[in-house]
Amino acid sequence: MHKPTIGLALSGGGARGLAHLGVLKVLEEAGITIGWIGGASMGGLIAAAYACGASLADLEERAVRLARPRELLRLIDISKERRGLMEGARLRNYLADLFLERHFEDTRIPLVIPCVDIITSREVVFTSGLVFPAVLGTIAVPGLFQAVEFGPYRLVDGGILNNLPVDRVRELGADIVIAVDVQINPLREKPWQDLPEKRRFPAPLPGFFWDFYRAELIMIAELTRIHLERHPPDLLLCPPLPPDLDMFLGFPRIPEAIAAGEACARAALPQIWQIIKGAEEKLA
C-alpha cells in the first residue's frame, strides 16, 4: 500500500515561530514522518534547519539561549546605511554553521522557501541551489534588516506575500499538508494595545517602526486568509500563543512558545492519524 507523503508548512511569526519546534517534537515522537517541508520567515528558518539535519534538541537549545537578553544582544548590530535598523552580520555568522555550503538538493527532507524580490515585486520560490541565501532572504524583515542581494534578486521576508506557503509545499508533491500558523492576526486579536510605551528588542526601536509593523501584520493576515481559501491545508494548527507574546518582544518567552506548539500538536494527534488513515485508504 502506498504511504501518503506528509508536507509541513510553517508560517512566519518571529519569536512566536519557535512554537514550530514544539510541533515538530510531537510529530517526531509520534513517528509521523515529514516528507516535505517549507516555511516563510521564521518558519522558513526552522524548516531549513530541520531539513538540513539539525536535531530538535540542538535547535531548542539554541532557541532557549536566545531567551536570555544578553545572548540576544550579541546578535544586534545597528546598521549605518539605514536600509535596515540592523546590519545582520552577527545573525548571519550565528546561523552560518547550520547552512553554510548546504544545497536544497542535499537536504534530508525536500525543502521549499519563499522570499519576495523587491525589484520585480514577485514571490521567488527556492527549491534548488544554496540554502543559506534563501534563508537570509526569507527572514529579512523590511525595516529591520537590509534586503539580501542574491543574483538578480533583492530579497526580503517571504511572509510578505506568502506567510503560510501551503501551496508551495503541495507543489513539491505532498499528499497531505499540515499547516502551522503562529502569526498574530490583528483582525481578531489586540497584539499591541496593552504593550508598554517604551518597547525594546532588546535595543530600542523607533516609533515609526511599530506603525510599519502594525500595517504589515494587517496585510499579512488578509493575504493569508486569501491564500488559505485558495489552497486549504488538510489540517491547520494554530498554537494558543497569547497576543502579548510579540514576534519581536517575545524572545524572553521562547520556552512558552515551544510549549504552546507542543500542546497544540498533541491535542491534534488523533485528527492527524485520522487524516493519514483516510489518505491511505484513498491510495490503496
Side-chain angles (χ1 to χ4, degrees), residues 81-181:
E81 296 184 16
R82 311 307 291 175
R83 294 299 295 266
L85 295 174
M86 291 172 58
E87 180 69 30
R90 294 181 185 176
L91 180 61
R92 288 194 294 273
N93 291 337
Y94 178 77
L95 296 175
D97 63 312
L98 287 172
F99 304 111
L100 204 58
E101 302 304 322
R102 299 302 299 268
H103 289 73
F104 281 84
E105 294 83 355
D106 303 326
T107 56
R108 65 172 179 171
I109 304 171
L111 171 69
V112 59
I113 296 178
C115 299
V116 173
D117 175 27
I118 57 175
I119 301 297
T120 62
S121 306
R122 295 181 181 275
E123 180 183 5
V124 179
V125 181
F126 289 93
T127 58
S128 63
L130 287 169
V131 173
F132 201 23
V135 170
L136 294 177
T138 203
I139 65 173
V141 178
L144 185 62
F145 295 109
Q146 299 183 53
V148 175
E149 305 283 348
F150 181 60
Y153 307 120
R154 187 174 296 165
L155 302 173
V156 295
D157 189 349
I160 291 174
L161 290 179
N162 197 354
N163 196 51
L164 187 56
V166 174
D167 53 339
R168 302 309 179 190
V169 174
R170 187 86 72 183
E171 288 168 1
L172 286 178
D175 299 308
I176 298 169
V177 177
I178 299 171
V180 187
D181 190 3

Side-chain angles (χ1 to χ4, degrees), residues 68-77 90-91 94 202:
R68 305 168 193 159
R70 182 176 297 179
E71 293 295 324
L72 191 58
L73 271 171
R74 292 177 180 175
L75 301 182
I76 305 297
D77 48 0
R90 294 181 185 176
L91 180 61
Y94 178 77

Side-chain angles (χ1 to χ4, degrees), residues 9-14 17 20 38-44 163-165 179-183:
L10 307 179
S11 82
H20 295 314
S41 202
M42 180 62 83
N163 196 51
L164 187 56
V180 187
D181 190 3
V182 300
Q183 186 61 279

